[in-house]
Amino acid sequence: MKRANWQELLWVAIIVVLAAFWPMLANGYWLGIGVDMMMYIALATSWVLFSGPTHYISLASAAFFGVGGFIVGTGMSDYEASFWSMLALSAVVGGALAALIGLATLRLSGVYFVIFTLGLAEMIRNLVSWIQNNFLGSRGLYVLTDFTDKHLYWMLLVTAAAVYLLGWIISRSRLGFALRIIGGDETVARHVGINTAMAKVILFTSTGFFGAIVGAIIAPRWSYIEPNQVFSPQLSFFVVIMALLGGSGRLWGPIVGVVPFLLIWNWVDANFPHQSILVLGLAFLVIVYFLPHGFVGRIDQLRARARGRS
Amino acid sequence: MLDILVSGLLLSGTYALVAMGLNLQYGVARIMNLANGEVLVLGALASFWLYTTSQISPILTVILVIPISFIGNYLIYRFLLTPLVRRSKTQGALEVDSILATFGMSFIFIGIMVSIEGGFFFYKYLSEPIQILGSTTSLNRLVAFLIAVLIGAGLYLWLNLSRPGIAVRAVSVSTEASGLVGINVPRISALAFALGGTITAVGGALISTFITLDASIGVVFTLKALIIVIMGGVGEIRGAIVAAVILGIVETAVATLIDPGLTLASAYFIFILILLFRPQGLFGRRAV
């Protein structure tokens, strides 16, 4: 078991190193897709970090992402702060926001949590627009940096790798063990003396932390930021689909979900722009009915079968 | 002040109706239906479309919507959700599966609706001003409220007096125990789900007469209905009515006194208070 863990880490490290060369090979359109992919890999991996073991479906990704982008925008445009200080601030705010949401909802049943996160991005968007209209005056924010897609790609790669490493460390720690028990049966977990609410809040905080970082990193790509743009609820659904498509049972699952989904999605969006939302719906149904454990589940199944035959 | 009370109260009539629909689906059929808001918008689209293309009055549409949405929701439960109910071992697993499946359905509904009407469902029906208790409101709000009350009262009586109604309530208390006393639980669940969807669609047709909707607004209504159901206590019809009145009035107050863009934020504020201080709902009993 332990050796397999190290082996997995090694494989991921090799993939990260190889992925770092992508900007040398690709530019323009394909580099843009690479940035998208890295963004979703980082978001989906941090989603799996929390939702994988607990089976709680979080739809808050867009909220944290938006908070990150918005803080960078406001700080750089209205207060002339540096990008890096705003990146740090958005990580802290994202984490704090997640901790508060977690404290309010994660002590209760999972349904309350899902419902709460469902409209969260929309609610924060309303609040932010209202504050901007009434107190700050301006509606759009400018984020001007020297970063090109190449730099954003590398920053996102580092973030994704950091998320993975954190998840890997957690899975080997007491906290990870506790989370696996919670995922198996929460009542049992409570009876053996695990503080289930605390474990979930800690994990969810890390999701918020990284979600905001990703949002902050993406901000320079847009250069002009509007609340309607950074708080797009669709992002949360994308993250959930990609993570589940890959399989939330493993930390590397999102990688095998993000890459095919984004390629298919870009093709659909380019050729059938009006039907794209239908495809999103069908993707959910396919996952629920045909791939309940994602690609990873299928791979494990095939592996087990191959082993049984030999 | 009186204006807020009157229009908040009128708004809460349809909210209560929609929340009753969701209550039947979640409290009885145990399906967390996140496509609920889209079903509502489908009802709204039906009344918008029939009114603008062939001048059919929304009240007539309500009658047309009933059989169609009942059959549609029954088929959804029978063919898409029953496999999930059979497959899941625990209530938690069913919740995760039903949440994901109904998400999928909600996007498919949105896709279909966008292809029918991509813009706002705007039409004018009975929009002349009227006076109630000295405050001015429009006739369509009053009509929608009265129809909602009528349907809600009918549902309440049906649940309390008729045999199938009592079976529905029994299933909402305990699926296992109802099965033991000879209630056909899968059939009652399907009935409750279909009925819940029907009521939601009717609510949508009514709401569309005084609020302009569009294809992607469903999630906001899903959220409001869920907040009402949780505030009232899952499975509590009376609780849902009180909660709907509270939400309707608070929302109207926030919209008129502060900013119309903050109605969702006010709903969230109520939600947080409920979660922090009374998670079992105003009328719910504390789970053991």
Side-chain angles (χ1 to χ4, degrees), chain B residues 44-59:
Chain B
L45 178 62
S47 91
F48 161 78
W49 193 70
L50 289 174
Y51 189 73
T52 45
T53 55
S54 33
Q55 273 75 51
I56 293 175
S57 130
I59 294 168

PDB file of all heavy atoms in Angstrom, chain B residues 44-59:
ATOM      1  N   ALA B  44     -43.911  28.469 -16.739  1.00  0.00           N
ATOM      2  CA  ALA B  44     -43.953  29.882 -17.121  1.00  0.00           C
ATOM      3  C   ALA B  44     -43.851  30.045 -18.631  1.00  0.00           C
ATOM      4  O   ALA B  44     -44.571  30.843 -19.243  1.00  0.00           O
ATOM      5  CB  ALA B  44     -42.819  30.635 -16.432  1.00  0.00           C
ATOM      6  N   LEU B  45     -42.953  29.241 -19.231  1.00  0.00           N
ATOM      7  CA  LEU B  45     -42.774  29.315 -20.684  1.00  0.00           C
ATOM      8  C   LEU B  45     -44.062  28.910 -21.392  1.00  0.00           C
ATOM      9  O   LEU B  45     -44.460  29.542 -22.378  1.00  0.00           O
ATOM     10  CB  LEU B  45     -41.615  28.404 -21.106  1.00  0.00           C
ATOM     11  CG  LEU B  45     -41.332  28.344 -22.600  1.00  0.00           C
ATOM     12  CD1 LEU B  45     -40.946  29.701 -23.125  1.00  0.00           C
ATOM     13  CD2 LEU B  45     -40.239  27.341 -22.905  1.00  0.00           C
ATOM     14  N   ALA B  46     -44.722  27.866 -20.882  1.00  0.00           N
ATOM     15  CA  ALA B  46     -45.973  27.420 -21.500  1.00  0.00           C
ATOM     16  C   ALA B  46     -46.987  28.559 -21.515  1.00  0.00           C
ATOM     17  O   ALA B  46     -47.621  28.831 -22.543  1.00  0.00           O
ATOM     18  CB  ALA B  46     -46.533  26.218 -20.747  1.00  0.00           C
ATOM     19  N   SER B  47     -47.111  29.255 -20.376  1.00  0.00           N
ATOM     20  CA  SER B  47     -48.144  30.287 -20.339  1.00  0.00           C
ATOM     21  C   SER B  47     -47.739  31.496 -21.181  1.00  0.00           C
ATOM     22  O   SER B  47     -48.578  32.107 -21.841  1.00  0.00           O
ATOM     23  CB  SER B  47     -48.487  30.649 -18.895  1.00  0.00           C
ATOM     24  OG  SER B  47     -47.705  31.686 -18.436  1.00  0.00           O
ATOM     25  N   PHE B  48     -46.441  31.815 -21.196  1.00  0.00           N
ATOM     26  CA  PHE B  48     -45.955  32.910 -22.054  1.00  0.00           C
ATOM     27  C   PHE B  48     -46.196  32.586 -23.530  1.00  0.00           C
ATOM     28  O   PHE B  48     -46.708  33.392 -24.300  1.00  0.00           O
ATOM     29  CB  PHE B  48     -44.461  33.126 -21.808  1.00  0.00           C
ATOM     30  CG  PHE B  48     -43.731  33.869 -22.897  1.00  0.00           C
ATOM     31  CD1 PHE B  48     -43.832  35.245 -23.002  1.00  0.00           C
ATOM     32  CD2 PHE B  48     -42.948  33.183 -23.815  1.00  0.00           C
ATOM     33  CE1 PHE B  48     -43.163  35.923 -24.006  1.00  0.00           C
ATOM     34  CE2 PHE B  48     -42.284  33.862 -24.817  1.00  0.00           C
ATOM     35  CZ  PHE B  48     -42.398  35.229 -24.914  1.00  0.00           C
ATOM     36  N   TRP B  49     -45.841  31.383 -23.893  1.00  0.00           N
ATOM     37  CA  TRP B  49     -45.881  30.983 -25.299  1.00  0.00           C
ATOM     38  C   TRP B  49     -47.315  30.909 -25.809  1.00  0.00           C
ATOM     39  O   TRP B  49     -47.646  31.423 -26.874  1.00  0.00           O
ATOM     40  CB  TRP B  49     -45.173  29.625 -25.423  1.00  0.00           C
ATOM     41  CG  TRP B  49     -44.873  29.235 -26.826  1.00  0.00           C
ATOM     42  CD1 TRP B  49     -43.953  29.800 -27.649  1.00  0.00           C
ATOM     43  CD2 TRP B  49     -45.509  28.191 -27.555  1.00  0.00           C
ATOM     44  NE1 TRP B  49     -43.970  29.159 -28.858  1.00  0.00           N
ATOM     45  CE2 TRP B  49     -44.915  28.168 -28.823  1.00  0.00           C
ATOM     46  CE3 TRP B  49     -46.509  27.269 -27.256  1.00  0.00           C
ATOM     47  CZ2 TRP B  49     -45.292  27.259 -29.801  1.00  0.00           C
ATOM     48  CZ3 TRP B  49     -46.883  26.359 -28.223  1.00  0.00           C
ATOM     49  CH2 TRP B  49     -46.283  26.355 -29.488  1.00  0.00           C
ATOM     50  N   LEU B  50     -48.186  30.295 -25.002  1.00  0.00           N
ATOM     51  CA  LEU B  50     -49.577  30.190 -25.431  1.00  0.00           C
ATOM     52  C   LEU B  50     -50.246  31.558 -25.482  1.00  0.00           C
ATOM     53  O   LEU B  50     -51.086  31.819 -26.346  1.00  0.00           O
ATOM     54  CB  LEU B  50     -50.351  29.262 -24.495  1.00  0.00           C
ATOM     55  CG  LEU B  50     -50.003  27.782 -24.616  1.00  0.00           C
ATOM     56  CD1 LEU B  50     -50.715  26.971 -23.559  1.00  0.00           C
ATOM     57  CD2 LEU B  50     -50.378  27.269 -26.004  1.00  0.00           C
ATOM     58  N   TYR B  51     -49.847  32.438 -24.550  1.00  0.00           N
ATOM     59  CA  TYR B  51     -50.478  33.755 -24.531  1.00  0.00           C
ATOM     60  C   TYR B  51     -50.019  34.603 -25.708  1.00  0.00           C
ATOM     61  O   TYR B  51     -50.817  35.277 -26.357  1.00  0.00           O
ATOM     62  CB  TYR B  51     -50.180  34.477 -23.220  1.00  0.00           C
ATOM     63  CG  TYR B  51     -50.975  35.739 -23.054  1.00  0.00           C
ATOM     64  CD1 TYR B  51     -52.337  35.672 -22.771  1.00  0.00           C
ATOM     65  CD2 TYR B  51     -50.392  36.991 -23.193  1.00  0.00           C
ATOM     66  CE1 TYR B  51     -53.084  36.813 -22.630  1.00  0.00           C
ATOM     67  CE2 TYR B  51     -51.135  38.137 -23.059  1.00  0.00           C
ATOM     68  CZ  TYR B  51     -52.481  38.043 -22.773  1.00  0.00           C
ATOM     69  OH  TYR B  51     -53.233  39.179 -22.642  1.00  0.00           O
ATOM     70  N   THR B  52     -48.720  34.576 -26.010  1.00  0.00           N
ATOM     71  CA  THR B  52     -48.235  35.441 -27.091  1.00  0.00           C
ATOM     72  C   THR B  52     -48.561  34.872 -28.466  1.00  0.00           C
ATOM     73  O   THR B  52     -48.739  35.623 -29.408  1.00  0.00           O
ATOM     74  CB  THR B  52     -46.713  35.668 -26.999  1.00  0.00           C
ATOM     75  OG1 THR B  52     -46.103  34.423 -26.735  1.00  0.00           O
ATOM     76  CG2 THR B  52     -46.353  36.651 -25.920  1.00  0.00           C
ATOM     77  N   THR B  53     -48.621  33.567 -28.614  1.00  0.00           N
ATOM     78  CA  THR B  53     -48.896  33.035 -29.949  1.00  0.00           C
ATOM     79  C   THR B  53     -50.390  32.902 -30.218  1.00  0.00           C
ATOM     80  O   THR B  53     -50.833  33.181 -31.323  1.00  0.00           O
ATOM     81  CB  THR B  53     -48.233  31.661 -30.171  1.00  0.00           C
ATOM     82  OG1 THR B  53     -48.670  30.786 -29.128  1.00  0.00           O
ATOM     83  CG2 THR B  53     -46.734  31.752 -30.184  1.00  0.00           C
ATOM     84  N   SER B  54     -51.161  32.463 -29.222  1.00  0.00           N
ATOM     85  CA  SER B  54     -52.576  32.264 -29.536  1.00  0.00           C
ATOM     86  C   SER B  54     -53.522  32.890 -28.519  1.00  0.00           C
ATOM     87  O   SER B  54     -54.687  32.481 -28.438  1.00  0.00           O
ATOM     88  CB  SER B  54     -52.867  30.776 -29.722  1.00  0.00           C
ATOM     89  OG  SER B  54     -52.061  29.997 -28.878  1.00  0.00           O
ATOM     90  N   GLN B  55     -53.031  33.863 -27.741  1.00  0.00           N
ATOM     91  CA  GLN B  55     -53.895  34.611 -26.811  1.00  0.00           C
ATOM     92  C   GLN B  55     -54.685  33.707 -25.856  1.00  0.00           C
ATOM     93  O   GLN B  55     -55.799  34.006 -25.498  1.00  0.00           O
ATOM     94  CB  GLN B  55     -54.871  35.511 -27.576  1.00  0.00           C
ATOM     95  CG  GLN B  55     -54.307  36.875 -27.902  1.00  0.00           C
ATOM     96  CD  GLN B  55     -53.312  36.784 -29.044  1.00  0.00           C
ATOM     97  OE1 GLN B  55     -53.624  36.208 -30.068  1.00  0.00           O
ATOM     98  NE2 GLN B  55     -52.128  37.316 -28.860  1.00  0.00           N
ATOM     99  N   ILE B  56     -54.080  32.578 -25.468  1.00  0.00           N
ATOM    100  CA  ILE B  56     -54.755  31.731 -24.485  1.00  0.00           C
ATOM    101  C   ILE B  56     -54.451  32.283 -23.107  1.00  0.00           C
ATOM    102  O   ILE B  56     -53.303  32.541 -22.778  1.00  0.00           O
ATOM    103  CB  ILE B  56     -54.276  30.271 -24.612  1.00  0.00           C
ATOM    104  CG1 ILE B  56     -54.742  29.711 -25.957  1.00  0.00           C
ATOM    105  CG2 ILE B  56     -54.792  29.425 -23.460  1.00  0.00           C
ATOM    106  CD1 ILE B  56     -54.233  28.343 -26.243  1.00  0.00           C
ATOM    107  N   SER B  57     -55.493  32.474 -22.308  1.00  0.00           N
ATOM    108  CA  SER B  57     -55.297  33.094 -20.994  1.00  0.00           C
ATOM    109  C   SER B  57     -54.480  32.174 -20.089  1.00  0.00           C
ATOM    110  O   SER B  57     -54.659  30.952 -20.095  1.00  0.00           O
ATOM    111  CB  SER B  57     -56.668  33.374 -20.375  1.00  0.00           C
ATOM    112  OG  SER B  57     -56.711  32.870 -19.072  1.00  0.00           O
ATOM    113  N   PRO B  58     -53.549  32.754 -19.309  1.00  0.00           N
ATOM    114  CA  PRO B  58     -52.717  31.935 -18.424  1.00  0.00           C
ATOM    115  C   PRO B  58     -53.521  31.060 -17.473  1.00  0.00           C
ATOM    116  O   PRO B  58     -53.065  30.002 -17.071  1.00  0.00           O
ATOM    117  CB  PRO B  58     -51.904  32.982 -17.663  1.00  0.00           C
ATOM    118  CG  PRO B  58     -51.837  34.132 -18.576  1.00  0.00           C
ATOM    119  CD  PRO B  58     -53.129  34.141 -19.318  1.00  0.00           C
ATOM    120  N   ILE B  59     -54.719  31.484 -17.137  1.00  0.00           N
ATOM    121  CA  ILE B  59     -55.532  30.671 -16.223  1.00  0.00           C
ATOM    122  C   ILE B  59     -55.953  29.377 -16.921  1.00  0.00           C
ATOM    123  O   ILE B  59     -55.953  28.295 -16.332  1.00  0.00           O
ATOM    124  CB  ILE B  59     -56.755  31.473 -15.758  1.00  0.00           C
ATOM    125  CG1 ILE B  59     -56.259  32.644 -14.911  1.00  0.00           C
ATOM    126  CG2 ILE B  59     -57.704  30.613 -14.936  1.00  0.00           C
ATOM    127  CD1 ILE B  59     -57.277  33.687 -14.615  1.00  0.00           C
TER     128      ILE B  59
END
